[in-house]
């Protein structure tokens, strides 16, 4: 089993963009930043596939599969982490009003 990573402060969207401008031309830094962006896109795709799989699983009344539940929890954790890194408020809980957008702010799309 792989060793756990030490705790660290994740690179946010703005910070990544700042690094991109600051270290433009440094192939190693550019490659690392692209790797982070690509990994985040893959996590989003995995989340989308999971949603499809979970929907069918529930519709077929196949019970609760522990592996699916663990994947769901990991994906939720990553989605929340992405929202925090992007500076977005978390989505409202069921039954709560959606006040993420102020009266003068445009609608934001929440994925996940």
């Amino acid at each position: 089993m792989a060793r756990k990573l030490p705790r660290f402060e994740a690179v946010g969207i703005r910070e990544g963009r700042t690094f991109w401008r600051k270290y433009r031309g440094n192939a190693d830094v550019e490659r690392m930043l692209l790797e982070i962006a690509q990994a985040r896109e893959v996590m989003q795709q995995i989340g989308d596939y999971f949603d499809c799989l979970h929907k069918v699983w529930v519709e077929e009344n196949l019970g609760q599969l522990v592996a699916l539940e663990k994947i769901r929890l990991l994906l939720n954790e990553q989605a929340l982490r992405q929202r925090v890194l992007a500076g977005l408020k978390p989505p409202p809980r069921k039954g709560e009003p959606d006040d993420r957008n102020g009266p003068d702010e445009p609608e934001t799309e929440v994925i996940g």
Side-chain angles (χ1 to χ4, degrees):
M1 182 171 212
R3 294 186 316 196
K4 290 190 91 164
L5 292 173
R7 289 189 157 263
F8 64 95
E9 186 176 334
V11 175
I13 304 298
R14 285 189 185 128
E15 186 178 21
R17 289 178 180 153
T18 300
F19 287 156
W20 184 262
R21 285 189 302 271
K22 183 176 181 180
Y23 297 105
R24 191 74 176 144
N26 183 324
D28 293 332
V29 174
E30 287 181 4
R31 194 178 79 222
M32 179 114 26
L33 292 169
L34 290 170
E35 184 70 30
I36 291 169
Q38 191 268 345
R40 290 175 178 171
E41 287 179 6
V42 168
M43 285 302 299
Q44 179 61 49
Q45 290 175 345
I46 291 169
D48 293 343
Y49 287 128
F50 172 84
D51 291 342
C52 293
L53 177 63
H54 189 260
K55 180 181 176 191
V56 170
W57 192 269
V58 170
E59 287 174 356
E60 295 292 325
N61 199 22
L62 296 174
Q64 187 167 355
L65 184 64
V66 173
L68 276 179
E69 183 62 15
K70 288 188 176 210
I71 292 169
R72 185 188 69 78
L73 293 172
L74 287 169
L75 290 169
N76 283 344
E77 181 181 323
Q78 289 303 309
L80 178 60
R81 187 169 177 263
Q82 280 300 106
R83 285 187 202 99
V84 169
L85 290 174
L88 301 175
K89 293 181 183 178
R93 296 178 187 222
K94 289 182 181 177
E96 291 181 359
D98 185 353
D99 65 349
R100 288 173 287 170
N101 298 313
D104 298 329
E105 296 178 23
E107 290 292 317
T108 56
E109 179 182 351
V110 176
I111 301 172

